[in-house]
Amino acid sequence: MYYFHIHSSDGTVVDDEGEEFADMAAVREEAVTAVRELVADGIRSGKGPNGRELRVAADAGKLVLSLPFRDV
């Protein structure tokens, strides 16, 4: 299971459900898609990336991917 947490200067929105993926390539693809959607939603509501970051953790809580919104 992989958990997609959104981190910002205001705190972290924690993903309690998680999702299973076949490999890290699939995790990264989903992370990029998710960040693009979040950035697009933010732009539509007048907000930019604002230093947010998607942090993906594996089952044991180990950080496996960090994706700053500004990089997508």
Side-chain angles (χ1 to χ4, degrees):
M1 294 289 284
Y2 293 91
Y3 300 87
F4 291 65
H5 310 301
I6 301 170
H7 179 76
S8 73
S9 59
D10 295 330
T12 302
V13 178
V14 176
D15 172 8
D16 291 327
E17 295 181 20
E19 197 170 334
E20 291 192 38
F21 293 92
D23 54 29
M24 277 304 297
V27 170
R28 180 163 178 69
E29 183 178 330
E30 179 64 22
V32 168
T33 298
V35 168
R36 286 181 177 160
E37 290 174 2
L38 289 165
V39 169
D41 288 345
I43 290 169
R44 283 191 285 272
S45 65
K47 301 175 188 172
N50 300 329
R52 292 182 292 168
E53 177 177 75
L54 183 68
R55 295 179 180 173
V56 182
D59 273 331
K62 179 183 174 191
L63 183 66
V64 295
L65 177 66
S66 180
L67 187 61
F69 281 27
R70 70 178 179 278
D71 291 352
V72 175

